[in-house]
Amino acid sequence: MMQATALIADDEPLLREILEARLAAAWPELQIVAQARNGRQAIELFEQHQPTICFLDVHMPGLSGVEVARHIGKRAHLVFVTAFDQYALEAFEQGVLDYLVKPVAAARLGETVERLKARLSQAQPAVHSEALLVQLAQRLKLNQPEPLRWVRASVGASLRMIPVDDIDYLKSDTKYTLVAYRDEGQAAEALIRMPLKDLLAQLDPAHFSQVHRSVVVNLRSIRRLTRGDNETGEIELKGRSERLPVSRSYLPMFKEM
């Protein structure tokens, strides 16, 4: 049997670590060649490493696991990992896709490992159903809430409703998030009591993207990206003097733009 390799894609670092550890125990010969934190990175790393198996979180920022699966097609064996078993359960019951429910149980993972080993040992092609993936993708969109349109922030003694379209960037500040926005065209700032991660999950991924562990930027506010040393970068914004850092892991995203 060929050397099995795998990619793990999940936006929760801890859940990636747990799945990696349990795979190491259940299948020591399996080589984890890459881990992705979102759908776009999953596609990029898949094309780079061409793993034989992909463990895909159904709900990821940007592109869902189902959309990533449609890109991969029959080029890898797919296993969906989800906290929302109604979607994957339907697919699995139709006998075409494998899935794991979070938190991944060791016994259930063992069953999946045995199925994957059997397919690989018999050189079976990857299971793929474009029609079913289309249905799942449509259902996911129907169940996704509308992107956030306003952010409520305290500015002095007043409460301000900031249109999301007016936000230039967001920056994590311990328990708070700094909101840098436009107030009648002028640069302004406010603090809100929502963690950056929670706020990012409610923003439209077509317009907002994380570029650093502590920074999310409105893509429409970017004037220029300058590449720096060690595969990092720096963002210059329209009408603002401050510069935003782009860490190495987020820089490849700009290759797609």
Side-chain angles (χ1 to χ4, degrees):
M1 184 171 67
M2 62 181 292
Q3 170 68 50
T5 58
L7 175 148
I8 297 174
D10 195 309
D11 62 326
E12 292 286 348
L14 180 59
L15 295 178
R16 291 199 304 268
E17 292 175 10
I18 291 174
L19 181 55
E20 182 181 27
R22 292 193 169 165
L23 280 170
W27 195 351
E29 300 82 11
L30 179 66
Q31 182 184 1
I32 308 297
V33 294
Q35 295 192 22
R37 63 179 167 275
N38 56 51
R40 289 176 181 170
Q41 189 181 38
I43 290 176
E44 179 182 325
L45 291 174
F46 173 80
E47 297 297 346
Q48 180 179 346
H49 296 280
Q50 299 286 312
T52 50
I53 304 166
C54 292
F55 293 88
L56 303 174
D57 181 21
V58 172
H59 289 269
M60 290 188 289
L63 295 175
S64 72
V66 176
E67 291 168 317
V68 174
R70 292 184 64 191
H71 175 87
I72 294 172
K74 296 182 179 181
R75 293 183 291 167
H77 296 273
L78 305 175
V79 180
F80 288 110
V81 185
T82 177
F84 303 92
D85 59 342
Q86 68 269 27
Y87 307 123
L89 185 59
E90 177 183 328
F92 184 71
E93 288 176 343
Q94 295 186 39
V96 293
L97 299 172
D98 203 354
Y99 79 104
L100 296 166
V101 177
K102 299 178 184 179
V104 177
R108 180 66 181 80
L109 178 61
E111 296 173 5
T112 294
V113 166
E114 291 307 312
R115 273 195 292 272
L116 289 169
K117 285 182 176 178
R119 291 176 191 164
L120 292 175
S121 64
Q122 298 169 18
Q124 294 180 355
V127 175
H128 179 82
S129 171
E130 175 63 17
L132 181 57
L133 290 175
V134 169
Q135 291 178 16
L136 287 172
Q138 291 173 341
R139 180 168 298 187
L140 284 171
K141 288 181 179 178
L142 289 175
N143 284 277
Q144 287 179 344
E146 289 292 321
L148 195 66
R149 298 177 59 192
W150 302 85
V151 171
R152 291 189 301 176
S154 297
V155 180
S158 63
L159 178 66
R160 182 176 291 272
M161 300 295 290
I162 301 173
V164 166
D165 289 344
D166 290 346
I167 295 175
D168 287 327
Y169 69 91
L170 302 160
K171 189 172 184 180
S172 177
D173 183 8
T174 58
K175 296 181 181 178
Y176 301 92
T177 295
L178 172 72
V179 180
Y181 66 104
R182 298 280 168 170
D183 185 7
E184 297 182 351
Q186 300 298 311
E189 295 181 351
L191 286 174
I192 60 174
R193 287 180 175 271
M194 182 182 292
L196 181 63
K197 178 183 176 183
D198 294 349
L199 194 55
L200 176 60
Q202 301 179 57
L203 296 173
D204 186 347
H207 299 304
F208 286 87
S209 179
Q210 191 159 15
V211 294
H212 185 273
R213 175 174 51 84
S214 60
V215 179
V216 169
V217 68
N218 187 336
L219 299 173
R220 295 167 293 191
S221 297
I222 296 176
R223 175 194 298 273
R224 182 181 298 119
L225 169 72
T226 304
R227 297 181 185 279
D229 298 331
N230 200 24
E231 298 181 11
T232 60
E234 190 175 71
I235 287 173
E236 180 181 341
L237 298 163
K238 299 172 185 173
R240 284 184 174 273
S241 59
E242 61 265 47
R243 302 290 188 268
L244 303 180
V246 181
S247 58
R248 180 193 304 181
S249 54
Y250 292 100
L251 193 60
M253 175 190 70
F254 291 94
K255 294 180 181 177
E256 303 174 1
M257 296 180 177

